[in-house]
Amino acid sequence: METFKIIFIIIAFGIFVPNQLFFVRKIILTKKQYDENNFVLFSTKTDSIIILIAGIIILIFVIIINLIDTLNIMYNSIMSVFLALLSASQIINCRKKIIIKNNEIFVIPAVGKVKKFSFNDIDSIQEFISTKGIITYTVFQGERAMFIFSDRYIYSNLFIEKARKLHIKISRMN
């Protein structure tokens, strides 16, 4: 039984490590200095902090279950699945971003290939204000939506300022 305890603790740490690595990556992104021509739009740190804290709580729970003599494979399996889901959500949360380098826009979705656009491709931006006060921007090329981001993204204001300087039409949608 001691072997199972050690195995489950190692599995829990192994699943939790990507969560920490992507959180550290987000902290590094936040501390970089950006200007109006080169910046990255990404979700706030609080989203990552909440996921990290939830992962730490579950990791502690798994360790406690295994250290006291109540080894239960079902509890460990369920907690491992929760840890895997939290780590996956942290990776998705940290991977999803929009990189602006001069006139080029690189959209990195949660899953899938990186899409490359330029500010010359943008015809208009629609602004939608939700009932909770969150502003969502949809970027269009003709009638086709290219990508979406919200004002909760860090540096979203730089994107809108750059679009205004380039005289891209920004309309409010009700």
Side-chain angles (χ1 to χ4, degrees):
M1 288 307 245
E2 290 297 320
T3 308
F4 282 117
K5 289 180 183 182
I6 293 169
I7 288 173
F8 278 118
I9 290 173
I10 290 171
I11 288 172
F13 272 105
I15 293 172
F16 184 68
V17 166
N19 192 336
Q20 289 178 316
L21 292 176
F22 275 87
F23 179 74
V24 168
R25 234 175 93 186
K26 177 157 275 185
I27 297 297
I28 291 170
L29 266 179
T30 306
K31 292 191 178 198
K32 285 187 177 179
Q33 296 297 320
Y34 295 110
D35 60 16
E36 63 183 27
N37 290 322
N38 297 303
F39 56 94
V40 178
L41 276 75
F42 53 92
S43 63
T44 60
K45 281 192 295 188
T46 53
D47 300 340
S48 295
I49 290 170
I50 290 168
I51 295 169
L52 184 71
I53 290 171
I56 289 170
I57 291 169
I58 292 174
L59 181 67
I60 290 169
F61 188 70
V62 167
I63 291 170
I64 290 172
I65 283 176
N66 287 299
L67 290 181
I68 57 178
D69 288 327
T70 57
L71 177 68
N72 189 326
I73 295 176
M74 183 59 89
Y75 289 148
N76 277 307
S77 300
I78 291 171
M79 291 302 128
S80 296
V81 168
F82 281 142
L83 269 175
L85 289 173
L86 284 170
S87 290
S89 64
Q90 183 78 291
I91 292 167
I92 288 170
N93 184 31
C94 292
R95 186 176 191 276
K96 190 171 61 171
K97 61 185 163 254
I98 301 168
I99 301 171
I100 287 76
K101 291 184 179 177
N102 295 323
N103 199 31
E104 295 179 331
I105 304 168
F106 299 93
V107 179
I108 302 172
V111 254
K113 293 182 178 180
V114 176
K115 297 173 187 166
K116 183 180 175 185
F117 304 105
S118 103
F119 275 96
N120 298 331
D121 297 336
I122 300 173
D123 292 329
S124 65
I125 299 174
Q126 278 190 345
E127 179 182 90
F128 175 75
I129 302 174
S130 72
T131 55
K132 294 184 179 182
I134 297 172
I135 302 171
T136 304
Y137 299 100
T138 306
V139 180
F140 285 95
Q141 179 181 28
E143 296 293 318
R144 184 180 71 99
M146 296 163 58
F147 58 92
I148 297 172
F149 65 95
S150 78
D151 67 335
R152 291 194 65 220
Y153 277 44
I154 296 174
Y155 301 117
S156 63
N157 57 339
L158 288 176
F159 188 91
I160 297 302
E161 286 175 25
K162 185 164 181 151
R164 285 192 176 116
K165 284 182 183 176
L166 295 172
H167 304 292
I168 295 173
K169 179 184 167 192
I170 300 174
S171 59
R172 184 167 285 178
M173 189 174 136
N174 295 325

